[in-house]
Amino acid sequence: MSDAADVHFLLDGMASRYIILADGRRVLLGFLLPGDFCDLHPQLAPVFAHPIISISACSVAHYPRRALAAWRGEFPALATALERWCLVDGAITRRWLTNMAIPAEYRLAHLLCELRTRLAQVGQADEASFPLFLTQQEMGEAIAISTVHINRSLQHLKELGLVRVMNHRVFIPDLARLESFVGFDSAYLEPGGGAFSRNSSAAADSPIQG
Amino acid sequence: MSDAADVHFLLDGMASRYIILADGRRVLLGFLLPGDFCDLHPQLAPVFAHPIISISACSVAHYPRRALAAWRGEFPALATALERWCLVDGAITRRWLTNMAIPAEYRLAHLLCELRTRLAQVGQADEASFPLFLTQQEMGEAIAISTVHINRSLQHLKELGLVRVMNHRVFIPDLARLESFVGFDSAYLEPGGGAFSRNSSAAADSPIQG
DNA sequence: CGCAGCTTTGATAATGATCAAAGTCGGTGG
DNA sequence: CCACCGACTTTGATCATTATCAAAGCTGCG
């Protein structure tokens, strides 16, 4: 079907970039949501490619690389879109890295905030809930936490009344409270957005700022 | 001197991108070595900028952003260089993220391997040694490990005979052994390089592969 | 029904953080 | 030249977070 020389673009579903460690463990390096380019980078350097798995059923569009390269000159808007995605992708990765310094429970809450915001950007989430087809094991692989500990962290978030989960859907009774709990600021996900965040006052004990 | 609208380019020294957590801790998100662009991204989205500190005395060149933008069309090679740097930068960040899943000692060893390779690329390291002006605290901030634990991990690497440190210089008695210890593969740092790694056989117990 | 995959729970172990204090070293001022 | 100071490193002791192991409950599905 699709050629290795194509560029892929996720239309629907959820996928993830990953890497396998020597001991067999898998590390998820990011999630791809509808609208994201799957493999932009490899056009310059195949060696950078990370394999991708689908998390839920996905539909994908693919364009010949050559055409894409040509379009970049012809349609500046496309070039901007590509660059924009590179930037957001990089910002997300740096945020994940930043979050490795905060405790498991916060990292999990942050992941949920991030996914909700990104899904909302593509019309698949609102303030109160969003679909999530990750297993707890996959969540663990994404934020470098054992499955057992994910389970306990999630339970604690539930006990705190910050989230609820029902058949593959996360419910958030009070989004502002959840976001303030982790000090979540969506600025890094909104390159077009203003330079100032809405979420200006995080809780005094929330682990992130900046 | 330099205008906020300039693009900066590190000529000499070492600098680091960082973020400050709510509890005051600092997280280093990457190191900038000679030849690296300091703040390419912000031209599209100021909100993504992470502050930068100099680790050692640095010299920096700055170009007006507008000129750079213009040059991109005019000189494809420059455009390629910029993209190349974006890719390497992203690859490094993803590798750091990957490494958060492996134990402290390996993470530290990996950082040393990475810095050596990058410094070698700009003629500031050879197989046996390289200059390093990081304090142990800064190393800890880079790989999310407490200062005390960095000290102990480093000591252990010394005991294993993998590294030695003398006045701001890291000595590596046997580079192949150190790299195989962590399963270090420099492919992600060499976008121009072949698709296959030289370092094909990592030690059976090394924590990274792929 | 019964299996497979996922979640949940309990118990124990390991990694790494934190706290406190002492030791080293280079530089600076008297 | 020496004493002191500040920044960094090292050590010891204790604590916390998180991993690991093992087993039992769930749940959807063939």
Side-chain angles (χ1 to χ4, degrees):
Chain A
M1 308 290 263
S2 73
D3 188 321
D6 288 351
V7 167
H8 300 86
F9 182 82
L10 195 60
L11 294 174
D12 196 28
M14 182 171 174
S16 176
R17 231 184 263 126
Y18 71 94
I19 190 170
I20 303 288
L21 300 184
D23 61 8
R25 277 182 303 157
R26 188 174 61 176
V27 176
L28 302 187
L29 294 167
F31 291 113
L32 298 165
L33 305 186
D36 297 341
F37 291 94
C38 303
D39 48 7
L40 215 47
H41 302 320
Q43 77 185 108
L44 278 176
V47 111
F48 287 167
H50 293 284
I52 293 177
I53 40 159
S54 70
I55 298 288
S56 61
C58 292
S59 58
V60 173
H62 46 101
Y63 303 108
R65 251 179 232 295
R66 289 188 155 277
L68 193 70
W71 292 346
R72 290 189 67 155
E74 205 171 332
F75 303 105
L78 175 61
T80 301
L82 295 178
E83 276 170 359
R84 194 191 115 117
W85 163 244
C86 284
L87 294 181
V88 172
D89 189 47
I92 291 171
T93 309
R94 280 191 293 275
R95 179 64 63 167
W96 283 31
L97 186 56
T98 301
N99 285 351
M100 299 307 309
I102 69 176
E105 187 180 303
Y106 290 99
R107 226 141 80 209
L108 177 57
H110 193 281
L111 178 66
L112 296 178
C113 288
E114 180 183 289
L115 286 173
R116 195 211 65 84
T117 301
R118 291 181 61 197
L119 285 169
Q121 287 174 339
V122 293
Q124 295 190 7
D126 55 36
E127 303 256 310
S129 79
F130 63 96
L132 187 65
F133 290 85
L134 289 175
T135 64
Q136 293 185 1
Q137 182 174 130
E138 287 165 336
M139 294 182 210
E141 290 169 347
I143 60 180
I145 284 169
S146 72
T147 308
V148 171
H149 200 58
I150 281 281
N151 185 283
R152 289 173 171 141
S153 301
L154 191 52
Q155 275 179 58
H156 191 219
L157 293 181
K158 288 174 187 168
E159 281 165 19
L160 293 175
L162 292 171
V163 301
R164 264 173 302 152
V165 180
M166 277 178 55
N167 40 322
H168 297 188
R169 203 167 177 90
V170 176
F171 292 86
I172 303 168
D174 183 343
L175 181 57
R177 195 156 74 85
L178 177 62
E179 294 191 342
S180 129
F181 175 73
V182 253
F184 178 78
D185 178 346
S186 64
Y188 71 109
L189 297 173
E190 298 164 346
F196 303 100
S197 76
R198 274 169 314 190
N199 190 23
S200 50
S201 65
D205 59 340
S206 67
I208 303 175
Q209 115 189 359
Chain B
M1 310 287 258
S2 74
D3 187 318
D6 288 351
V7 166
H8 299 86
F9 182 83
L10 195 60
L11 294 174
D12 196 29
M14 182 171 173
S16 176
R17 230 184 263 126
Y18 71 94
I19 189 169
I20 303 288
L21 300 184
D23 61 8
R25 277 181 303 156
R26 187 173 62 174
V27 176
L28 302 187
L29 294 168
F31 292 114
L32 299 165
L33 303 186
D36 297 340
F37 291 94
C38 302
D39 48 7
L40 214 48
H41 301 322
Q43 78 186 106
L44 277 176
V47 112
F48 287 167
H50 292 283
I52 292 177
I53 41 158
S54 70
I55 297 288
S56 62
C58 292
S59 59
V60 174
H62 46 100
Y63 303 107
R65 250 178 231 292
R66 291 187 155 278
L68 193 69
W71 293 345
R72 289 189 69 154
E74 207 169 332
F75 303 105
L78 176 61
T80 302
L82 294 177
E83 277 170 359
R84 194 191 115 118
W85 163 244
C86 284
L87 294 181
V88 173
D89 190 45
I92 291 172
T93 310
R94 279 192 293 276
R95 179 65 63 168
W96 283 31
L97 186 56
T98 301
N99 285 351
M100 299 308 308
I102 69 176
E105 187 179 302
Y106 290 100
R107 227 143 78 209
L108 177 57
H110 195 281
L111 178 66
L112 297 178
C113 288
E114 180 183 289
L115 286 174
R116 195 211 64 84
T117 300
R118 291 181 61 199
L119 286 169
Q121 288 174 338
V122 292
Q124 293 190 8
D126 55 36
E127 303 256 313
S129 79
F130 63 95
L132 188 65
F133 290 85
L134 289 174
T135 64
Q136 294 186 1
Q137 183 174 128
E138 286 166 336
M139 294 183 211
E141 289 169 346
I143 60 180
I145 285 169
S146 72
T147 308
V148 170
H149 200 59
I150 280 281
N151 185 284
R152 289 173 172 142
S153 302
L154 191 52
Q155 275 179 57
H156 191 219
L157 293 182
K158 288 175 189 167
E159 281 164 19
L160 294 176
L162 292 170
V163 302
R164 265 172 300 153
V165 180
M166 277 178 55
N167 41 321
H168 297 188
R169 203 164 179 91
V170 177
F171 292 87
I172 304 168
D174 183 342
L175 181 57
R177 195 155 74 86
L178 178 62
E179 295 191 342
S180 127
F181 176 74
V182 253
F184 178 79
D185 179 344
S186 63
Y188 70 109
L189 298 172
E190 298 164 345
F196 303 101
S197 77
R198 275 171 312 192
N199 191 22
S200 51
S201 66
D205 59 339
S206 66
I208 302 174
Q209 113 189 0

